[in-house]
């Protein structure tokens, strides 16, 4: 899920929120996103938090902040609900991994 928070926050424009089922999956997702953004855009995150535990990893790329949660943490923090006034961005199927 991607949320446009530019009109609501000063520090970033977008939140990207996704879920991994285990600490290993959460770490792998965060690592892969970081590697891909570095390859494609030549950008490294300004900050990385939560990588030791792997329950919620935050990657701060400035204009975009990625949140990778395990299900329990995502349910607890409910960022989608917290930022329910912000517009959602349509993501292509290749990004979401969902069909139809």
């Amino acid at each position: 899920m991607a949320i446009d928070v530019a009109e609501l926050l000063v520090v970033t424009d977008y939140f990207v929120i996704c879920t991994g089922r285990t600490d290993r999956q959460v770490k792998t997702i965060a690592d892969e996103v970081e590697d891909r953004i570095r390859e494609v855009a030549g950008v490294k995150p300004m900050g990385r938090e939560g990588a030791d535990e792997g329950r919620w990893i935050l990657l701060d790329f400035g204009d975009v902040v990625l949140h990778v949660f395990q299900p329990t943490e995502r349910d607890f923090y409910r960022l989608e609900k917290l930022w329910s006034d912000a517009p959602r961005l349509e993501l292509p199927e290749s990004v979401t991994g969902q069909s139809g």
Side-chain angles (χ1 to χ4, degrees):
M1 161 179 288
I3 304 172
D4 181 346
V5 294
E7 297 296 320
L8 304 171
L9 289 174
V10 177
V11 296
T12 192
D13 292 336
Y14 301 98
F15 282 162
V16 176
I17 304 169
C18 59
T19 304
R21 302 235 176 262
T22 65
D23 60 339
R24 176 172 259 162
Q25 248 186 3
V26 168
K27 290 176 184 180
T28 300
I29 291 167
D31 290 345
E32 185 66 18
V33 169
E34 184 175 347
D35 291 347
R36 292 281 181 108
I37 290 177
R38 186 179 296 124
E39 286 174 16
V40 173
V43 176
K44 294 184 344 185
M46 297 168 23
R48 179 181 178 116
E49 300 198 21
D52 291 340
E53 292 184 23
R55 297 170 56 127
W56 174 14
I57 296 178
L58 180 144
L59 295 177
D60 181 353
F61 292 97
D63 293 340
V64 177
V65 174
L66 171 70
H67 300 270
V68 187
F69 289 103
Q70 283 193 32
T72 303
E73 281 70 23
R74 187 167 178 173
D75 288 343
F76 179 79
Y77 289 102
R78 296 186 287 176
L79 293 184
E80 300 92 332
K81 185 174 182 176
L82 181 64
W83 299 105
S84 61
D85 292 345
R88 297 328 193 232
L89 301 175
E90 291 291 325
L91 296 175
E93 179 182 321
S94 62
V95 173
T96 62
Q98 299 174 359
S99 59

